[in-house]
Amino acid sequence: MLFVNGPCPGKTDHRGSCQRETHYKPGTKMTDSKYFTTTKKGEIFELKAELNSDKKEKKKEAVKKVIASMTVGKDVSALFPDVVNCMQTDNLELKKLVYLYLMNYAKSQPDMAIMAVNTFVKDCEDPNPLIRALAVRTMGCIRVDKITEYLCEPLRKCLKDEDPYVRKTAAVCVAKLHDINAQLVEDQGFLDTLKDLISDSNPMVVANAVAALSEIAESHPSSNLLDLNPQSINKLLTALNECTEWGQIFILDCLANYMPKDDREAQSICERVTPRLSHANSAVVLSAVKVLMKFMEMLSKDLDYYGTLLKKLAPPLVTLLSAEPELQYVALRNINLIVQKRPEILKHEMKVFFVKYNDPIYVKLEKLDIMIRLASQANIAQVLAELKEYATEVDVDFVRKAVRAIGRCAIKVEQSAERCVSTLLDLIQTKVNYVVQEAIVVIKDIFRKYPNKYESVIATLCENLDSLDEPEARAAMIWIVGEYAERIDNADELLESFLEGFHDESTQVQLQLLTAIVKLFLKKPTETQELVQQVLSLATQDSDNPDLRDRGYIYWRLLSTDPVAAKEVVLAEKPLISEETDLIEPTLLDELICYIGTLASVYHKPPSAFVEGSRGIVHKSLPPRTGSSESAESPDAAPSGAPPSEQPAVIPTQGDLLGDLLNLDLGPPVSGPPVATSSVQMGAVDLLGGGLDSLMSGTTFTAPSTVMPANLGPPPSSGLGDLFDLAGGVGTLSGSHVAPKTVWLPAMKAKGLEISGTFSRQVGAISMDLLLTNKALQVMSDFAIQFNRNSFGLAPAAPLQIHAPLAPNQTVEISLPLNTVGSVMKMDPLNNLQVAVKNNIDVFYFSTLYPLHILFVEDGKMERQMFLATWKDIPNENEAQFHIKDCPLSADAVSSKLQGSNIFTVAKRNVEGQDMLYQSLKLTNGIWVLAELRIQPGSPSFALSLKCRAPEVSQYVYQAYETILKN
């Protein structure tokens, strides 16, 4: 091969001379040493020589080569001393490059890095502010413990530097240093200097100080670093207009964490934040929206300004939808939250959420969701026309969602239901498989919402039975057949066709099929005995699924012991389904509103759900609504003692108490007449077939233990006077508030037995005061009572003793002593109690809510010092705020009234004309609850703050406060 006018095919060194890697003479033996021998000095050697060159330009070129090698991943750490020597230069570009190298390699060469400390200290006093800032920025990035302590002095000087550029850089450096060594930062007093920088004259310094403090506060949630007050808020709002967009975001996020003292201050902040809505950066817009959404909670809806603010919020949100798809998606996820909280903001902007042909699928699905949330009687015609159009698209996921959306519109806007159903029927006629299946699923929901209205379409649905292959559609169709079996002539054949492949079906379909066949049997008993026997046998004997087995056993037991009850349970009238089933739970929604513009608002999950390790996660919540008649923090949960209409319903429905039936160990009545099954033409079919005999035999009813616990009954002669602190203002020992009796179990649900009752606590003993009335025509006897497991372990402390049989129309009053040593299981709601009462006729079930104050014990008064220490120790996120309205009592009267129910006042003081009561109470399970009650003399409203290590208790303690103070 010839090389014409070209280089020699060896390697060329930097002097251009040719050199061969190996030279061997004919006849010499080749060895492996050739791989290790070279005459080349190597790149590192050359760079070393250039770095030590006297020429500045050559030096700079060499450093650039080093940085280039470092960037592509070559290890140039061997040059550390030579590069550090280049720091001694006036050339800013060269200094930046050397600092870049230092940041990268200081961690791997900590001993060498100390060589650079003197230069840092010197550079921090350089006359050029850019060099001072560069030095302090690099110091913050060198994460080496050995060096950190040397950097404190230069950093202190830079924090007080005359140039704002240096100060703003130093502020961020404090946050970085805190991450390396938090204790050092606190000891050196840098945090106080940072707080002072919030009052700096330069807006960028303020923004960086806020950013640094926020960063530090996130990693130490308990420290109250950003202690904001109206003066500092004013400074932040002034800086807001002048700093860069990222500075504005830091300040807005900081404002969002502030709690204004009243609605006037909230309005003032809103007015000064509103101009940020017209900013070009979408992150600034969303941060401003977050602040406004949060502070709107405190504004009265009657204010003119409230309406103006709603109008101002719509245009910026609409503008966000003209950005690129990724930004649109983020904006839509945030708008989804905003629309759930305040739909009135965007109610006139429906058209911007109509889908464009070139929208990516993730944007289309999100827009569809918001369209349904905004659908109303005014715009439903427009929305339906759009949705029908979408249902003919090619994208399967989008079409499915569009069909489902039509059903949701029908449920949400009653006036449109008929149009929606006819639209769905048109879509079913297209015979497109996935469209048909989705349509059947939503029609099932429409039947639930509007019973006995659109059943004429069932025939059309049955025609498409064979094409259903998705579990949800099959389950929906089975539900329709079971629910309307009396209107479908061949219902048994249809259900039997599903039964053939029972074991291959999904659990959802199996459960639905079991229930549908039992419904069919109760409606047409004579024709479907074999079918019900077959399905019960498949569910209980051949299935591995515990849910399916349990449901099978319950139906089997119901049908074999009391067909009347079975009919009441299985064919009970179903509650209408709610309009929006996929709304975010209100407390989670309030928390997510506080995270608008962050990842949490895109995931629709709080940060604690996706950030690894809970360090630094503070649960945020919206401020309580003060300016209007409704209270954001006061749910409508009624205390036990509310009118019967607000009590939880007696439970004959499937999902609640029946699930626990088998655990209650209540067998069939031991004595008493057999149940007449002929009343529902069941004939004498033995449905049990021996399958449940073992379960039923021997489960005689046993009353709870009759041993009286030590804490019940009147105490010895010493009395309980001391516990009630009689000298402290309670004249007589009145015991806690007792609510009037309400009907817990109506006679129509319990074969003539009516039970009314209430709960009381007297002298340390809890009792259930019952009124039993016999409204049947036969005598009732053999009474016994048992409680299901509950949140506080309430259980009967003695049997239910009714000494004489209860004759027709007779009433007996009993006080049943209770203790708290029963089995514990968290209930929802927390104070729910499920009760079973047995007599010679049957076993009856009901549930009721007990007021929490019956669990407040007599030794619940905490020492002052202990109170103070405990209040500080309980995390701030466990604090709950409530408002008690229409309660015109003085502080002394309140204290006295509450003490009667074992809520003890630890201390009382007057702050700015307000009476502050600090109170403690203790529950039977040892949980302490601390309270601060703010009473404005002459005002009928109180503010209540509760702190507790088990925050789920707070809501019920608040209800107890309301019940006691208002009765």
Side-chain angles (χ1 to χ4, degrees), residues 590-624:
D590 286 355
E591 187 177 351
L592 292 176
I593 292 289
C594 301
Y595 287 109
I596 282 177
T598 67
L599 204 52
S601 67
V602 179
Y603 284 159
H604 287 188
K605 291 177 181 176
S608 52
F610 60 86
V611 176
E612 272 192 30
S614 57
R615 194 190 82 156
I617 302 292
V618 179
H619 288 283
K620 300 181 181 180
S621 60
L622 293 178

Side-chain angles (χ1 to χ4, degrees), residues 665-666 700-704 784-786:
D665 215 21
L666 287 174
T700 52
F701 182 86
T702 51
I785 192 165
Q786 195 161 336

Side-chain angles (χ1 to χ4, degrees), residues 327-362:
L327 277 180
Q328 272 189 60
Y329 179 71
V330 172
L332 287 164
R333 292 295 281 175
N334 281 279
I335 288 169
N336 200 325
L337 295 174
I338 292 164
V339 165
Q340 286 185 56
K341 185 70 187 167
R342 298 197 185 283
E344 62 270 29
I345 293 175
L346 288 159
K347 65 180 178 187
H348 300 306
E349 304 291 345
M350 176 63 88
K351 281 195 170 170
V352 298
F353 298 107
F354 285 174
V355 170
K356 299 192 180 92
Y357 76 95
N358 58 349
D359 279 339
I361 181 66
Y362 54 87

Side-chain angles (χ1 to χ4, degrees), residues 80 105-117 144 146-147:
F80 201 94
Y105 283 117
K107 201 157 192 178
S108 59
Q109 307 261 357
D111 298 330
M112 291 280 199
I114 291 181
M115 293 160 48
V117 168
V144 176
K146 285 184 182 178
I147 297 181

Side-chain angles (χ1 to χ4, degrees), residues 763-867:
V763 203
I766 309 170
S767 56
M768 183 191 233
D769 303 326
L770 297 167
L771 199 67
L772 275 64
T773 306
N774 180 358
K775 295 191 174 179
L777 298 175
Q778 58 180 325
V779 173
M780 294 182 180
S781 60
D782 305 334
F783 283 92
I785 192 165
Q786 195 161 336
F787 294 176
N788 197 1
R789 291 178 295 168
N790 54 79
S791 307
F792 293 92
L794 274 177
L800 184 61
Q801 291 180 333
I802 300 172
H803 299 295
L806 198 60
N809 294 319
Q810 189 184 348
T811 297
V812 65
E813 205 161 347
I814 312 139
S815 186
L816 177 71
L818 307 181
N819 60 32
T820 52
V821 295
S823 298
V824 175
M825 177 176 77
K826 189 174 177 184
M827 302 295 285
D828 186 22
L830 207 62
N831 58 340
N832 191 16
L833 181 66
Q834 297 178 336
V835 184
V837 172
K838 166 196 167 283
N839 63 11
N840 59 326
I841 296 173
D842 208 341
V843 182
F844 308 108
Y845 304 95
F846 65 90
S847 88
T848 182
L849 300 179
Y850 50 88
L852 212 64
H853 63 260
I854 64 166
L855 304 173
F856 298 171
V857 297
E858 284 68 24
D859 61 344
K861 187 165 184 177
M862 200 180 258
E863 292 297 320
R864 287 187 182 208
Q865 297 309 111
M866 187 68 176
F867 182 94

